[in-house]
Structure formats: C-alpha cells, structure tokens
Amino acid sequence: MEALKTSRRPQGKVFTSLCFAFEDRNFFQQKLRSFLTVYLLLALSFLLIITLFAVSLSRVSAVSSKLNEVQPERRHNFSSRDSLLFPCGPGSREWEYFDGKCYYFSLARTSWHKAKAHCEEMHSQLAVINSYAKQNFVMFRTRNERFWIGLTDENSEGEWEWIDGTDYKTTFTFWKEGEPNNSGNNEDCAHVWVSGKWNDVYCTYECYYVCEKPLPN
C-alpha cells in the first residue's frame, strides 16, 4: 500500500502542474486578446483622425477657392457690424466720425502747406469749419493745442477763403478777439488756437492739423 501511495503522489503533482500550465495559457491568451483589442481601437482611431483631417482639408480648399473667386472690389467691403464700429472704414480706425464726415487729428506738427499735402495724400482735405456744431467738435478735440484748418488769404490779403470753395463771407466764423490781424504782414493761414478760437499766423509755422473726408461708399 505504501508503494501504491508513493506512486500516486507524482501523478498528482503532474496533474497540478498541467492545471497551472493550462491556467497560464488562458491568462496569456486573455492578455493577448486585450492587447489586440487596444491595438485595433488605436488603429481605428488613427484612421478616423486621418479621415477627418482629409475632410477638413478639402473644405478649407473649397472655401479658399471661393474666396479667390470674389471680385477684388468686394473684398474691401466691410460688414454691417464693422460699419457700426468703424464708420470711416476698418482701415481708417485713426479717423473719427462726426455728422456724416470723418476727421483725422494729426500727431505730428508741420507747416500749413505740408499739412494740406498730407491730407490730400489721404484723399481728404484740411477741415472746413462751417457750423457751430463742427466748431464744438473740433474745439473739444484740439483743446490746449494748435491745429491747422483749411482757411487762408494767401491769394489776396484780407480775402479769406476756404480750400473747398465754401463762401467765407456768408458762413460761420470763430476768430479770437482781435484776429485776424496779419501781424508782421505775413499771417496768411488760420489755425485753431489753444482756446478753440481761430487765429491767423504765418503759413510756415509748425503745428498739428485736422483733415476731413466724406464717409466711404
């Protein structure tokens, strides 16, 4: 009997070893299946990303081609929201709107003739102040500084003229007391004085300037 018991013990060990081996095999198979599932999901995700990228790229190309077909002049049109925020145009944000026109207040000083030329380069002119409302607007913006306006009597002493042809004799004026006085016999250009009132001075004097232009179409 002892011999029989002894002979059965190794068989039990073999059986146990086989069970462990089988369990290990199942464990590795499960792990392998898990890894395969993860890799498959990663591959599908990659393909989905590539597909979405291709679709987005095709849409961008389509939009770009449509934009290139737009007429050049229509590209300069701005939206209704931009027109409310920047009535003088999105490219003219340094211009200020007042009563149907746009105004530019310079940041550099120069002579009257150079100021006139600078305004013309910007498709505008030196400001013509022909109403008390415009005077108040300009006076508020130019307080404590001198700014050229589009008024001169260079052509004939004492015969003041607005550069746009506005009749000086029948329109609004706002001269400083005692002005214009042609001091030194060479004061032929007008600027807004620090008080907001007008003063005549020699045209080579350097001060700031105000340009005006109509609203863009």
Side-chain angles (χ1 to χ4, degrees):
M1 290 294 293
E2 288 296 329
L4 182 61
K5 289 181 182 179
T6 303
S7 62
R8 285 180 179 177
R9 286 176 185 174
Q11 291 180 358
K13 291 182 179 180
V14 170
F15 179 77
T16 303
S17 299
L18 290 174
C19 289
F20 280 125
F22 184 75
E23 289 177 358
D24 290 341
R25 182 179 179 184
N26 287 340
F27 175 77
F28 286 118
Q29 286 180 346
Q30 290 177 358
K31 287 292 184 181
L32 182 60
R33 288 172 185 171
S34 299
F35 287 136
L36 289 175
T37 303
V38 171
Y39 289 142
L40 181 60
L41 290 175
L42 288 175
L44 289 175
S45 300
F46 180 75
L47 289 175
L48 180 60
I49 292 172
I50 293 297
T51 304
L52 291 175
F53 179 77
V55 171
S56 301
L57 188 62
S58 64
R59 289 183 178 178
V60 169
S61 299
V63 171
S64 178
S65 62
K66 288 182 179 180
L67 288 176
N68 289 332
E69 294 173 0
V70 176
Q71 297 178 359
E73 59 271 14
R74 294 187 62 185
R75 295 181 187 176
H76 297 292
N77 293 340
F78 46 93
S79 67
S80 57
R81 185 182 67 177
D82 286 339
S83 67
L84 292 175
L85 294 174
F86 309 106
C88 297
S92 301
R93 300 185 182 186
E94 69 275 16
W95 291 74
E96 299 182 28
Y97 171 80
F98 175 76
D99 196 25
K101 290 189 176 182
C102 300
Y103 295 86
Y104 172 78
F105 296 87
S106 75
L107 301 177
R109 297 181 178 91
T110 190
S111 67
W112 188 88
H113 287 285
K114 288 183 179 179
K116 179 175 178 292
H118 289 167
C119 289
E120 291 171 351
E121 289 173 1
M122 295 187 289
H123 307 289
S124 62
Q125 64 180 18
L126 283 172
V128 174
I129 304 177
N130 52 14
S131 69
Y132 190 70
K134 187 183 289 189
Q135 170 64 34
N136 278 340
F137 167 71
V138 173
M139 184 167 58
F140 177 78
R141 282 291 285 102
T142 60
R143 55 189 174 184
N144 300 324
E145 288 293 349
R146 300 171 175 83
F147 280 75
W148 289 123
I149 56 177
L151 186 60
T152 180
D153 70 342
E154 275 191 316
N155 293 330
S156 178
E157 179 57 41
E159 297 293 326
W160 289 91
E161 300 174 333
W162 290 108
I163 59 174
D164 69 343
T166 297
D167 187 1
Y168 168 80
K169 294 180 180 179
T170 60
T171 53
F172 171 85
T173 59
F174 204 68
W175 290 103
K176 182 174 177 284
E177 292 77 7
E179 303 294 345
N181 61 5
N182 193 33
S183 177
N185 296 319
N186 67 344
E187 294 187 334
D188 297 324
C189 295
H191 63 184
V192 176
W193 190 252
V194 291
S195 63
K197 294 186 176 182
W198 307 351
N199 174 61
D200 62 336
V201 70
Y202 53 94
C203 297
T204 54
Y205 179 81
E206 293 191 348
C207 66
Y208 301 105
Y209 56 93
V210 187
C211 304
E212 71 174 349
K213 66 179 180 179
L215 282 174
N217 296 327

